[in-house]
Amino acid sequence: MTTVRPAAAPTATTAGAGVGPAVTAGGVAVGAARIVGLSLGHATLAEADHWIHALRPAPVLACTHLVAVPYPHVAISLLTTLPITTVPELAEAATAAAGGRAGRAVRFPGAERLTGSLTVSEILQRSAIARVEVLGGGTADPGTVVDTGDFVRPQFRGGELVLVTTPAAGDRLVPFESRTPTPCCADH
């Protein structure tokens, strides 16, 4: 496994795109937030999730991306002010993650408020999720209850976060991705 090396300034391997004005920390400007791609060679989504959750300070937005270069693994994109770079042999994967139009959001505004059972309307009000969909069935009704299982991983698609759900017992919904996937899908 490779390690992240802080860079003195953004480099070509950070694949960063500026997205806003300078962010301040204690009144001191620390730079413009930008999307940064990085690749550490994580073999699974769980490994990448764990790495993301260990970051301090926590990023506002962090997504995982399945990449095939130079070998199949999970790359990460972050909205950050930190200068982060990837080792040269994984730079292509980092660039792909930063430029990806789709990803699986691990950290996003409001994620910590999506616990227990919530209506679709509450999910939309409490977080940056823009839409809740039922797999194969379109947009979910605002009054439908979603049992979050305290594990919500919306998809970043077309510039917005979309939570994909599936029907569950009692006319409820559950997120399509669960913390403990069934064995038939666990290795995908």
Side-chain angles (χ1 to χ4, degrees):
M1 180 176 292
T2 58
T3 58
V4 169
R5 297 183 298 217
T11 66
T13 58
T14 60
V19 295
V23 175
T24 61
V28 178
V30 293
R34 68 203 183 290
I35 298 293
V36 176
L38 68 138
S39 179
L40 304 174
H42 291 114
T44 67
L45 292 170
E47 287 175 10
D49 284 9
H50 180 74
W51 185 88
I52 289 167
H53 283 294
L55 288 175
R56 296 295 178 263
V60 172
L61 179 66
C63 294
T64 57
H65 308 267
L66 302 178
V67 294
V69 291
Y71 54 87
H73 67 283
V74 182
I76 298 167
S77 61
L78 306 168
L79 176 61
T80 185
T81 59
L82 299 175
I84 297 176
T85 192
T86 298
V87 294
E89 59 270 20
L90 296 175
E92 187 176 351
T95 300
R101 299 193 184 277
R104 172 185 164 270
V106 176
R107 298 232 9 123
F108 54 93
E112 67 283 351
R113 294 189 297 266
L114 301 181
T115 59
S117 296
L118 303 168
T119 65
V120 169
S121 180
E122 289 172 319
I123 289 171
L124 300 177
Q125 291 171 14
R126 293 180 181 198
S127 71
I129 294 174
R131 189 170 66 252
V132 177
E133 292 180 352
V134 180
L135 186 65
T139 303
D141 181 85
T144 303
V145 174
V146 178
D147 290 324
T148 69
D150 301 341
F151 187 84
V152 178
R153 297 293 187 265
Q155 298 295 311
F156 185 70
R157 289 192 255 148
E160 63 182 15
L161 291 174
V162 179
L163 178 61
V164 178
T165 62
T166 60
D171 293 324
R172 293 175 172 240
L173 299 171
V174 294
F176 177 72
E177 182 180 348
S178 72
R179 185 184 312 272
T180 54
T182 57
C184 69
C185 301
D187 292 333
H188 296 7

